[in-house]
């Protein structure tokens, strides 16, 4: 079935540093969403992309539908960025309108 | 304020009992979803509803059924709950299929 491979599975950053998360898709994907799951378990929408790039403050995401990957860049990491980040791919076939989630990246930002 | 709500937020049931999880949205979205999330994993799709009384199975529908009688409400029902249905259940909605999905806060269900 459809697979979403997310890396790294865990990441530790010092405040003020930057890094990138990546998702690789095994099949054609119509769109991708990025979420942050906070300590209370809530899923916070970060980005929805059908193509190209989007930026919101210190976060920037890109989606290359031909090369089957998406990235999430975090710039100048802050303590409140800690949490688990998920990417999710929307199916581009007759399987239905579902999101297939990656396994998540657990981000810890340290002082 | 557009949002997806879920009730209850926490629920403890005994094996064999019936469970009703409720979801509401105030965005007039056509499509609604039920997912479950198990520890250390992403979400898995249980059911999709494309509109009132128009529901389809997702990837893991066994042991669940759904009901959608009004566009703004979508219910997940467990008839005779099992211990392996202990999980966190998320409801989501989107304006159209393949559009951005918005998630509720989740219901943590424990089946003893």
């Amino acid at each position: 079935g459809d697979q979403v491979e997310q890396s790294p599975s865990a990441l530790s950053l010092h405040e003020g540093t930057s890094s990138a998360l990546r998702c690789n898709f095994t099949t054609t994907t119509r769109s991708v969403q990025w979420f942050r799951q906070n300590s209370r378990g809530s899923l916070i929408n970060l980005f929805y992309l059908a193509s190209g790039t989007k930026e919101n403050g210190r976060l920037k995401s890109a989606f290359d539908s031909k090369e089957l990957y998406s990235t999430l860049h975090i710039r100048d990491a802050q303590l409140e960025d800690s949490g688990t980040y998920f990417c999710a791919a929307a199916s581009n076939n007759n399987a239905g309108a579902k999101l297939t989630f990656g396994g998540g990246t657990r981000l810890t930002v340290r002082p | 304020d557009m949002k997806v709500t879920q009730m209850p937020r926490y629920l403890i049931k005994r094996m064999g009992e019936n469970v009703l999880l409720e979801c509401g949205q105030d965005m007039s979205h056509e499509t609604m979803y039920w997912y479950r999330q198990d520890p250390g994993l992403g979400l898995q799709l249980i059911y999709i509803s494309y509109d009132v009384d128009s529901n389809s199975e997702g990837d893991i529908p066994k042991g669940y059924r759904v009901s959608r009688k009004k566009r703004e409400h979508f219910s997940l029902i467990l008839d005779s709950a099992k211990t392996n249905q202990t999980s966190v259940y998320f409801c989501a909605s989107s304006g159209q299929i393949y559009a951005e999905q918005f998630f509720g806060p989740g219901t943590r269900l424990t089946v003893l």
Side-chain angles (χ1 to χ4, degrees), chain B residues 35-106:
Chain B
Y35 294 85
R36 64 178 279 178
Q37 184 181 29
D38 297 302
L41 298 177
L43 280 67
Q44 295 176 275
L45 180 68
I46 305 171
Y47 266 95
I48 304 171
S49 175
Y50 296 105
D51 211 328
V52 171
D53 285 330
S54 179
N55 307 316
S56 292
E57 295 180 347
D59 294 326
I60 52 166
K62 187 176 180 181
Y64 303 95
R65 61 184 174 94
V66 292
S67 175
R68 190 156 178 217
K69 298 301 181 184
K70 293 183 179 181
R71 179 170 280 190
E72 61 270 24
H73 290 130
F74 190 32
S75 300
L76 181 69
I77 300 131
L78 289 67
D79 296 314
S80 187
K82 300 174 180 54
T83 56
N84 63 7
Q85 292 178 307
T86 292
S87 189
V88 180
Y89 290 86
F90 286 94
C91 174
S93 72
S94 64
Q96 302 168 8
I97 60 172
Y98 302 118
E100 184 175 8
Q101 293 186 23
F102 297 88
F103 283 77

Side-chain angles (χ1 to χ4, degrees), chain A residues 33 37 45 48 91 97-98, chain B residues 33 37 45 59 98 100-101:
Chain A
Q33 284 190 242
Q37 188 165 39
N45 286 39
Y48 167 79
S91 294
K98 69 174 186 179
Chain B
Y33 314 78
Q37 184 181 29
L45 180 68
D59 294 326
Y98 302 118
E100 184 175 8
Q101 293 186 23

